[in-house]
Amino acid sequence: MCLGIPGQVVAFTDAGQDLAKVSVNGVQRVISVRLLADQGLTEGDWVLVHVGFAMAKIDEVEAQLTLDQVKKMGSDYTNEIDAFNSSQIA
Amino acid sequence: MKFVDEFRDPAAARGLVRSITRLAGDDVFKFMEVCGGHTHTIYRHGIEHILPPGIELVHGPGCPVCVIPMGRVDDAMWLAEQPGVIFTTFGDMMRVPGSRGSLLDAKARGADTRFVYSPLDALKIAVDNPDSHVVFFAVGFETTAPSTAVTLVRAKQLGLRNFSVFCNHVTIVPPIRAILESPDLRLSGFLGPGHVSTVVGTRPYRFVPEVYGKPLVVAGFEPLDILATVHMLLQQIRDGRCEVENQYGRVVREEGNVAALRLLAETMTLRPHFEWRGLGFISQSALKINDGYADFDAEVRFSMPGIRVADPKACQCGEVLKGVIKPWECKVFGTACTPETPIGTCMVSPEGACAAYYNFGRMHREAADMIGATASV
Ligand code: SF4
């Protein structure tokens, strides 16, 4: 459950609530970017997504590394992506 | 400019292993990886098989699903079975055995138990179901606790009356201290947790070298990260240094995530003590919800039984969590206890040492291939 999966910020959907749409391996969902509110996040940035929250800003290389690593986990990866897909935060 | 290839370069891995072997010489070292994510990488890539035989990696208590004691699972099931309650939790927690089965069994018996991806999903369920009371079963280290903190703040903003959190968040430093105090283990150093450290930073670990004289290096999750970290630990020992170093600087900052720490301080406080599966009670090792958010604290809203039960007799998760035994040394490993029918928690989460070994223990060829050696074990 400690998996962090890399996602790319697509758009800020609700600035007041620090919500943003991110794309994780092609799937787009809304997550909270509240924990990175003071880090000047902009569209196109990569973040590590954990339980519906961006927990760290990462660069593109790190995003690729993490995604490859997570994909190697097989069913744990698909479970995480399924869970992400099921999210209905907004 | 760095490239992905740099982290996959077999020559780099070979070079590191050579250098590790030279630094280690004929001496024996025991390094603990605290974090379940590292355990997973180590087994998944067979790292242990490419290190020189004198270096042993032991697995620590850093899998949050693994450390939840049975009594808290029983309490969770009691909550889930209260009339009018919708009980929500992360998928992994659904399968953790309590003394009357798991939350999945409670669900089969008719409890409205739902798995959610995020605490914000649980909040959404509360908004959408004003006639039910939604409880979120919060587990996890400082990696996950800030997400619960944000959710609590949001629930208060919305003035929700039908949402509460059963808080089981734990903190990373006390179990490390407990392990250092334990006479069972003679450790040479630690691979520090990666994702927890994005929140807490590297400062909270200073007591490890300063009080206990052991080096700690915060590590990333790539196989090369693990090798580089072992190298840094050995280098410290050979240089006669003993400090906290950060191998995962591309993600972890010394000061951590200040915004997340502020939110934690606003919504939660340390409990005087908390029971850990297999490790017993550890003081100031877990978080409870602050008085300011008491309306959202399931332990305040419900008169919970506060069940305490001993760990099952057959289970040796405590020894596994302290790194005293390896998963396969547990008597029920792979026979009575498998990922389909877990007896202990370490078999439930993919980051648990037993599940990781069960799934990947025999997959050491990849690592051997990486350095161009043939698998000989
Ligand atoms: S094999 Fe099962 S019972 Fe034994 S330590 Fe691992 S999880 Fe616990």
Side-chain angles (χ1 to χ4, degrees):
Chain A
M1 64 155 285
C2 274
L3 273 184
I5 39 174
Q8 191 171 26
V9 178
V10 177
F12 293 91
T13 56
D14 182 337
Q17 270 195 65
D18 294 303
L19 296 179
K21 186 179 280 180
V22 296
S23 170
V24 169
N25 207 28
V27 176
Q28 296 192 358
R29 283 289 177 274
V30 172
I31 64 162
S32 169
V33 291
R34 175 74 181 80
L35 301 174
L36 302 183
D38 53 4
Q39 295 188 22
L41 214 55
T42 55
E43 282 170 26
D45 279 348
W46 287 90
V47 291
L48 216 47
V49 183
H50 172 64
V51 301
F53 287 78
M55 59 184 284
K57 205 165 141 178
I58 53 178
D59 66 19
E60 200 175 340
V61 171
E62 184 64 25
Q64 194 57 51
L65 280 171
T66 311
L67 189 63
D68 291 352
Q69 185 72 8
V70 171
K71 276 183 177 171
K72 280 196 187 150
M73 299 176 79
S75 65
D76 297 334
Y77 166 72
T78 42
N79 291 346
E80 187 71 16
I81 292 288
D82 288 350
F84 178 77
N85 290 355
S86 76
S87 181
Q88 301 286 338
I89 291 170
Chain B
M1 176 72 195
K2 58 186 181 129
F3 297 97
V4 168
D5 287 350
E6 280 180 32
F7 292 87
R8 304 274 154 73
D9 182 5
R14 266 198 303 273
L16 269 172
V17 171
R18 259 200 310 274
S19 182
I20 286 171
T21 308
R22 183 170 39 76
L23 281 172
D26 295 328
D27 295 334
V28 171
F29 299 91
K30 214 183 211 187
F31 297 122
M32 172 174 278
E33 89 274 5
V34 176
C35 167
H38 290 149
T39 305
H40 195 107
T41 300
I42 288 164
Y43 280 142
R44 177 69 183 77
H45 295 274
I47 307 273
E48 290 187 304
H49 297 276
I50 57 174
L51 290 173
I55 297 180
E56 187 190 348
L57 298 177
V58 297
H59 318 303
C63 158
V65 175
C66 304
V67 301
I68 295 294
M70 221 164 193
R72 299 296 278 191
V73 178
D74 287 359
D75 280 341
M77 286 175 64
W78 180 87
L79 277 171
E81 285 168 344
Q82 295 311 297
V85 163
I86 300 176
F87 194 80
T88 58
T89 186
F90 296 134
D92 283 349
M93 285 313 294
M94 294 280 259
R95 297 191 300 123
V96 173
S99 55
R100 295 184 303 124
S102 68
L103 283 161
L104 272 184
D105 299 314
K107 189 181 170 76
R109 290 197 292 263
D112 190 347
T113 304
R114 306 183 190 179
F115 114 84
V116 288
Y117 169 65
S118 167
L120 288 176
D121 283 318
L123 192 80
K124 179 78 174 359
I125 294 174
V127 171
D128 293 345
N129 294 274
D131 297 331
S132 299
H133 185 92
V134 175
V135 180
F136 175 64
F137 188 14
V139 299
F141 284 94
E142 287 96 334
T143 327
T144 316
S147 60
T148 303
V150 173
T151 306
L152 286 167
V153 170
R154 185 72 191 137
K156 195 172 190 175
Q157 276 171 359
L158 291 172
L160 282 187
R161 305 292 312 150
N162 67 326
F163 177 74
S164 62
V165 171
F166 179 34
C167 186
N168 290 274
H169 286 301
V170 285
T171 56
I172 193 72
V173 161
I176 296 180
R177 195 189 303 271
I179 280 165
L180 283 163
E181 291 284 345
S182 151
D184 297 345
L185 266 191
R186 294 240 181 78
L187 293 172
S188 324
F190 289 90
L191 290 83
H195 288 156
V196 172
S197 304
T198 61
V199 175
V200 302
T202 60
R203 290 184 197 133
Y205 308 118
R206 282 189 191 154
F207 77 98
V208 178
E210 285 169 9
V211 179
Y212 295 93
K214 310 284 181 194
L216 182 146
V217 178
V218 172
F221 295 93
E222 286 287 312
L224 269 189
D225 288 329
I226 304 283
L227 292 176
T229 302
V230 169
H231 189 267
M232 287 168 79
L233 286 165
L234 286 169
Q235 191 70 59
Q236 279 200 39
I237 293 169
R238 290 310 186 207
D239 291 351
R241 288 179 296 127
C242 182
E243 48 201 62
V244 174
E245 286 183 300
N246 185 6
Q247 184 274 334
Y248 198 32
R250 51 190 205 274
V251 179
V252 171
R253 299 190 194 162
E254 188 187 354
E255 71 278 10
N257 183 328
V258 179
L261 291 171
R262 214 182 296 123
L263 280 155
L264 277 182
E266 189 194 320
T267 54
M268 296 176 213
T269 36
L270 279 173
R271 292 175 192 268
H273 49 250
F274 191 75
E275 189 185 5
W276 291 59
R277 180 156 319 208
L279 303 179
F281 281 90
I282 304 179
S283 57
Q284 307 208 313
S285 65
L287 297 165
K288 71 186 274 294
I289 293 170
N290 259 346
D291 290 348
Y293 289 82
D295 287 349
F296 305 100
D297 185 349
E299 288 175 271
V300 172
R301 300 266 310 234
F302 295 85
S303 35
M304 294 184 42
I307 299 163
R308 275 211 63 207
V309 279
D311 294 332
K313 274 223 177 59
C315 176
Q316 292 187 275
C317 292
E319 278 88 345
V320 169
L321 288 169
K322 282 187 285 191
V324 176
I325 65 164
K326 297 282 181 181
W328 62 89
E329 291 170 329
C330 172
K331 283 183 279 306
V332 292
F333 175 84
T335 52
C337 187
T338 67
E340 284 71 45
T341 55
I343 291 180
T345 42
C346 307
M347 199 52 106
V348 176
S349 163
E351 285 133 59
C354 294
Y357 186 79
Y358 187 91
N359 290 326
F360 298 121
R362 294 155 213 99
M363 298 182 60
H364 39 74
R365 191 172 295 122
E366 185 172 334
D369 285 350
M370 190 168 163
I371 59 161
T374 42
S376 56
V377 211

